[in-house]
Amino acid sequence: MNVATDSPRRQQLTRIAARLFMQQGFDRTTVRMLADAMGIKSGSLFHHFADKQEILCAVIEDSTRHALFSARRALADAAPTTRARLLALARVHLDTLHDDRHAHGVALYEWRRLSDEDREHLTHLRDAYETLWLQVIEEARRAGQVQGDAAIITRYALGALNWTARWYDPDGPMDTAQLAHELVDMIVAPAS
Amino acid sequence: MNVATDSPRRQQLTRIAARLFMQQGFDRTTVRMLADAMGIKSGSLFHHFADKQEILCAVIEDSTRHALFSARRALADAAPTTRARLLALARVHLDTLHDDRHAHGVALYEWRRLSDEDREHLTHLRDAYETLWLQVIEEARRAGQVQGDAAIITRYALGALNWTARWYDPDGPMDTAQLAHELVDMIVAPAS
Amino acid sequence: MNVATDSPRRQQLTRIAARLFMQQGFDRTTVRMLADAMGIKSGSLFHHFADKQEILCAVIEDSTRHALFSARRALADAAPTTRARLLALARVHLDTLHDDRHAHGVALYEWRRLSDEDREHLTHLRDAYETLWLQVIEEARRAGQVQGDAAIITRYALGALNWTARWYDPDGPMDTAQLAHELVDMIVAPAS
Amino acid sequence: MNVATDSPRRQQLTRIAARLFMQQGFDRTTVRMLADAMGIKSGSLFHHFADKQEILCAVIEDSTRHALFSARRALADAAPTTRARLLALARVHLDTLHDDRHAHGVALYEWRRLSDEDREHLTHLRDAYETLWLQVIEEARRAGQVQGDAAIITRYALGALNWTARWYDPDGPMDTAQLAHELVDMIVAPAS
DNA sequence: CATGAATGAGCCTTCATTCAT
DNA sequence: AATGAATGAAGGCTCATTCAT
């Protein structure tokens, strides 16, 4: 289940699956579509994954690990100000959501399609990611730069960013850096 | 297609469908499930709707009209301050999202399942709804109470609220009024 | 589950299934073959049966009820001698095994293919049938006409008859009455 | 194809296959199950057997040769009385049916799964075995110890014994010697 | 309006078999 | 010999939709 233990072939197939899942949704993506995109026959898919569910699980696990890792590194590299740290998180979130792998969007929008078992298995990963946000926002709140309930602000911020999957065009005129700035400006008290 | 022209029976069936679509998603809700919940046989469903797509279209049209109507009335009733008007919109949004009809959530999360034809037909309704938000936020921006790009703030606000469908429990300790307040506090400059 | 409650259509389909199951075995009979023989499409089959297992269960239940009913009536009609009663049972067994319905053979040779649940459900029927045999043989033993353990003799007799499914040709020169006589002669002490 | 020419490795694999075929039936035993039980991968199996059919053929040939050889030796060792000779045959039959190799049962119950070609190839072996029985029973009939048609009695006897595969528990209180005695008592006129 | 039976296209999955390494 | 990846045909089953009654 660990990304580190996944064979390169499996990782490769996982990324292809992520793209299709994001484009059409898990339910509408047939294993034949997946196999076609992977350049193999549908039966061969089951050498790498036990069933279709496991592909979804692999996509979500992979993408969540990737987002978590990227966020941690971005925080480590960021200047120690509230704005800088929030900006780092927002940029990572948007970048993982809109990069060519699309996998983060699958994690968000197909979460309910996971089997109960897989969902439980992945919950701690997702929680770890959200905790990163919560901590930074909680710091900001204590510093007086953010007002209200930190947990709700966190969810509002993530919701605002997640919804960009529905309207933001990465090939359009605006880049993710600008989007991230807008978010931070919205959350953090302006004059500070 | 117009709500006004829908027979009471069809409206009743539409509401039942909305609940199932929200609980399990459009793709996972079979025509037989719908018929069961409606107390009829699956064949009979097609006396009321031409096909499954039309049911989704009816649900989304109904819910969007409802949200639009509610929002307009709330704005008409609201005090003429930025905060009051925004608060009114946020409450309506949350209430239509979490009431027992669930239909607004279907409009948001199953939008992509509409046929191209239906989507086009419903786009003006949705745009009308979003325009309501955009106008209020644009007013606020001109009044200096909101900073940044009004269009983006609008989408961020809606995204933040839409995402509550994923985590907010209407039966929990917090009510939608508090949630709405948190949102307005987040968007509108505090000291004003 | 009761034969009496089966729709005529379902009974008709059950008989066709019995023939195919006997000819090729349950595992080698595909639902498409069944549907072809029934003159319908494979999907339509599942309006009458929940799954393939249920077809097998229906065949076995139907045939065992039929054999049980026939055996009881034959015993009621038989003269009250050991030989006559045994002969009656043997003829019914052979006739139900080799008639055009073939269903009894399915009950015998596909018993292990039943799901655990179905098997349990049908065991009491089969036991009722075997008990009929056991009682007659036990009577014979007490009358000194049969020697040895009644339970084993019963199973040997049934095994001998069941095996005819593998070699006896109903269209050949010998009829089931002669076969039945041979069995009774083998079991019952000759001079009596 | 001849046992004598089979490599020890192939014989070993054949025995493992026999166990699985008996436990679950030929059709339900997959090549992967066989390979797992053999401690190799499924692809490797085809270095030892051309296809799955050949495995079944090998199992049946092996077991039938074994039964034939055992029966001949038992007859050679038996006292020259009808009862003793029949008893010897019955014991060998039961022992080969219920020993840890299970292979004889496969020969009986999966005979129809053989390809036409293989079946023809093995028929002479099976006939040789049945002829052994037929000869002894024919002797008994001529000696007045068995009544009726020798061919039918032979088949009835074999059927009775074969059916033990369905109900006899080798680990239970009764041993095969007792079972064999019951059979002989059933067939052979008692007092004579 | 309602129903039960039927349809046909398609879905996920299985499995014996092949073959380059 | 052995393996792992791939194949292709088939299998059981689902489901939106139709239609005679």
Side-chain angles (χ1 to χ4, degrees):
Chain A
M1 293 290 190
N2 194 298
V3 165
T5 68
D6 269 7
S7 71
R9 186 85 176 103
R10 189 175 145 124
Q11 280 197 55
Q12 181 189 1
L13 300 179
T14 300
R15 304 222 169 131
I16 294 170
R19 200 186 68 239
L20 295 191
F21 287 164
M22 197 59 200
Q23 284 167 354
Q24 344 200 18
F26 177 72
D27 285 333
R28 301 236 166 156
T29 307
T30 70
V31 299
R32 277 176 178 80
M33 289 174 183
L34 291 169
D36 278 353
M38 294 167 179
I40 57 178
K41 302 297 175 186
S42 68
S44 311
L45 235 170
F46 296 92
H47 267 275
H48 305 281
F49 303 93
D51 50 28
K52 200 187 165 192
Q53 287 287 339
E54 192 175 299
I55 308 179
L56 178 60
C57 187
V59 167
I60 293 187
E61 172 153 11
D62 180 38
S63 70
T64 309
R65 273 188 208 284
H66 177 63
L68 181 57
F69 176 78
S70 303
R72 282 189 175 136
R73 193 176 47 188
L75 279 183
D77 294 348
T81 69
T82 291
R83 290 189 67 90
R85 288 165 68 73
L86 262 181
L87 199 57
L89 285 182
R91 287 199 60 176
V92 161
H93 199 86
L94 286 165
D95 285 340
T96 54
L97 201 49
H98 296 286
D99 69 5
D100 57 339
R101 292 171 54 194
H102 304 282
H104 195 177
V106 176
L108 297 171
Y109 286 97
E110 303 292 347
W111 183 262
R112 295 175 58 194
R113 299 294 168 243
L114 288 169
S115 70
D116 291 343
E117 201 180 354
D118 288 341
R119 192 160 40 231
E120 193 168 359
H121 169 247
L122 293 173
T123 292
H124 76 279
L125 261 183
R126 196 197 55 177
D127 287 351
Y129 182 75
E130 292 192 6
T131 299
L132 239 46
W133 275 83
L134 184 59
Q135 288 170 338
V136 172
I137 287 183
E138 179 61 29
E139 292 167 19
R141 197 193 57 79
R142 279 199 296 263
Q145 293 184 285
V146 155
Q147 311 221 333
D149 184 307
I152 293 178
I153 301 294
T154 299
R155 284 166 169 155
Y156 276 169
L158 288 171
L161 296 179
N162 293 342
W163 199 248
T164 61
R166 295 293 229 278
W167 58 266
Y168 172 64
D169 173 14
D171 300 326
M174 202 166 6
D175 64 22
T176 54
Q178 298 171 48
L179 273 185
H181 266 292
E182 290 280 355
L183 183 88
V184 175
D185 288 345
M186 183 176 82
I187 293 177
V188 176
S192 53
Chain B
M1 290 292 188
N2 193 298
V3 163
T5 69
D6 269 7
S7 70
R9 184 88 171 104
R10 189 175 146 123
Q11 278 198 56
Q12 181 190 0
L13 300 179
T14 299
R15 302 218 172 136
I16 293 170
R19 199 186 69 238
L20 295 190
F21 287 165
M22 196 59 199
Q23 283 168 354
Q24 343 199 18
F26 177 72
D27 285 334
R28 301 231 166 160
T29 305
T30 70
V31 166
R32 273 181 175 73
M33 288 175 186
L34 291 168
D36 278 354
M38 295 168 179
I40 57 178
K41 301 298 175 187
S42 67
S44 312
L45 230 172
F46 294 90
H47 287 285
H48 302 281
F49 301 93
D51 52 27
K52 199 186 167 193
Q53 287 288 338
E54 191 176 300
I55 308 178
L56 178 60
C57 187
V59 168
I60 294 187
E61 172 154 9
D62 180 38
S63 70
T64 309
R65 271 188 210 284
H66 178 65
L68 181 57
F69 176 78
S70 303
R72 281 187 176 140
R73 194 175 48 188
L75 279 183
D77 293 346
T81 69
T82 292
R83 292 189 65 90
R85 288 166 68 75
L86 261 182
L87 198 59
L89 285 182
R91 287 198 61 174
V92 162
H93 199 87
L94 287 166
D95 285 341
T96 54
L97 201 49
H98 296 287
D99 68 7
D100 58 339
R101 292 172 52 195
H102 303 284
H104 196 177
V106 176
L108 298 171
Y109 285 98
E110 304 291 349
W111 184 261
R112 295 174 60 194
R113 299 293 167 243
L114 287 169
S115 68
D116 291 344
E117 199 180 355
D118 289 339
R119 192 160 40 233
E120 193 166 359
H121 168 247
L122 293 173
T123 292
H124 76 279
L125 263 184
R126 195 195 58 177
D127 286 352
Y129 182 76
E130 292 191 8
T131 299
L132 239 45
W133 275 83
L134 183 59
Q135 288 169 340
V136 173
I137 287 182
E138 179 61 28
E139 292 166 19
R141 196 191 59 77
R142 280 198 296 263
Q145 292 185 285
V146 155
Q147 311 219 335
D149 183 308
I152 294 179
I153 301 293
T154 299
R155 283 165 170 156
Y156 276 172
L158 288 171
L161 296 180
N162 293 343
W163 198 250
T164 61
R166 296 293 231 276
W167 57 267
Y168 171 63
D169 174 14
D171 300 326
M174 202 167 5
D175 62 23
T176 54
Q178 297 173 50
L179 273 185
H181 266 292
E182 290 280 356
L183 183 88
V184 176
D185 287 345
M186 183 176 84
I187 293 177
V188 177
S192 55
Chain C
M1 292 286 189
N2 192 298
V3 163
T5 68
D6 269 6
S7 71
R9 187 84 176 104
R10 188 174 146 124
Q11 278 196 57
Q12 182 189 0
L13 301 179
T14 300
R15 302 221 170 132
I16 293 171
R19 198 185 70 237
L20 295 191
F21 287 164
M22 196 60 199
Q23 283 168 355
Q24 343 202 19
F26 177 72
D27 285 333
R28 302 235 165 158
T29 306
T30 71
V31 299
R32 281 174 177 80
M33 288 173 185
L34 291 168
D36 278 353
M38 295 168 179
I40 57 179
K41 303 296 174 185
S42 70
S44 311
L45 234 172
F46 296 93
H47 266 275
H48 305 281
F49 304 93
D51 52 27
K52 199 185 166 196
Q53 287 287 338
E54 193 175 299
I55 308 178
L56 178 59
C57 187
V59 168
I60 294 187
E61 172 153 11
D62 179 39
S63 71
T64 310
R65 272 187 209 284
H66 177 65
L68 181 56
F69 176 78
S70 303
R72 282 189 175 139
R73 194 176 46 187
L75 279 183
D77 292 348
T81 69
T82 290
R83 290 189 66 90
R85 288 165 67 75
L86 261 182
L87 198 59
L89 285 182
R91 288 199 60 176
V92 161
H93 199 87
L94 287 166
D95 284 341
T96 55
L97 200 49
H98 296 286
D99 70 6
D100 58 339
R101 291 173 53 193
H102 303 283
H104 196 177
V106 176
L108 297 171
Y109 285 97
E110 303 293 347
W111 184 261
R112 295 175 59 193
R113 299 296 168 240
L114 287 169
S115 69
D116 290 344
E117 200 180 355
D118 287 341
R119 192 159 41 232
E120 192 167 359
H121 168 247
L122 292 173
T123 293
H124 76 279
L125 262 185
R126 196 197 54 179
D127 286 352
Y129 181 76
E130 292 192 8
T131 299
L132 239 47
W133 276 82
L134 184 59
Q135 287 170 338
V136 172
I137 288 183
E138 179 61 29
E139 292 165 21
R141 195 192 59 76
R142 278 200 296 265
Q145 294 185 285
V146 155
Q147 310 222 334
D149 183 308
I152 294 179
I153 300 293
T154 299
R155 283 165 168 155
Y156 276 169
L158 287 171
L161 295 180
N162 293 341
W163 199 249
T164 60
R166 295 295 230 276
W167 58 266
Y168 171 64
D169 174 14
D171 299 326
M174 201 166 7
D175 64 23
T176 53
Q178 297 171 49
L179 273 185
H181 266 293
E182 289 281 355
L183 184 89
V184 175
D185 287 344
M186 182 175 85
I187 294 177
V188 177
S192 57
Chain D
M1 292 289 190
N2 193 297
V3 164
T5 68
D6 270 5
S7 71
R9 183 86 173 107
R10 189 176 145 120
Q11 278 197 57
Q12 181 189 1
L13 300 181
T14 300
R15 302 220 171 134
I16 292 170
R19 199 186 69 239
L20 295 189
F21 287 164
M22 197 58 198
Q23 284 168 353
Q24 343 197 19
F26 176 72
D27 285 333
R28 301 234 167 156
T29 305
T30 70
V31 166
R32 273 182 173 75
M33 287 174 186
L34 292 168
D36 278 354
M38 294 166 179
I40 58 179
K41 301 297 174 187
S42 68
S44 311
L45 230 170
F46 294 89
H47 288 283
H48 302 281
F49 301 93
D51 53 26
K52 199 185 166 194
Q53 288 288 338
E54 192 176 299
I55 308 178
L56 178 60
C57 187
V59 168
I60 293 186
E61 171 154 11
D62 180 37
S63 70
T64 309
R65 272 189 209 284
H66 177 65
L68 180 58
F69 176 79
S70 303
R72 282 189 175 135
R73 192 175 49 188
L75 278 183
D77 292 349
T81 70
T82 290
R83 291 189 65 91
R85 289 165 67 74
L86 262 182
L87 198 58
L89 284 181
R91 288 200 59 175
V92 162
H93 198 87
L94 286 166
D95 285 340
T96 54
L97 200 50
H98 296 286
D99 69 6
D100 58 338
R101 292 173 51 195
H102 305 284
H104 195 178
V106 176
L108 297 171
Y109 285 98
E110 304 290 349
W111 183 261
R112 295 174 60 194
R113 300 292 166 243
L114 287 169
S115 68
D116 291 344
E117 200 180 356
D118 287 340
R119 192 159 41 234
E120 193 168 1
H121 168 247
L122 292 173
T123 293
H124 76 280
L125 262 184
R126 195 196 58 176
D127 286 351
Y129 181 76
E130 292 191 8
T131 299
L132 239 45
W133 274 83
L134 183 59
Q135 288 170 337
V136 173
I137 287 182
E138 179 61 30
E139 292 167 18
R141 197 191 59 76
R142 278 198 297 264
Q145 293 184 286
V146 155
Q147 310 220 334
D149 183 305
I152 293 179
I153 300 293
T154 298
R155 284 167 169 156
Y156 276 170
L158 287 171
L161 295 179
N162 292 342
W163 198 249
T164 61
R166 294 294 228 278
W167 59 266
Y168 172 63
D169 174 13
D171 300 326
M174 201 167 5
D175 63 23
T176 53
Q178 297 172 50
L179 272 185
H181 266 292
E182 290 279 355
L183 183 87
V184 176
D185 287 344
M186 183 175 82
I187 293 178
V188 177
S192 53

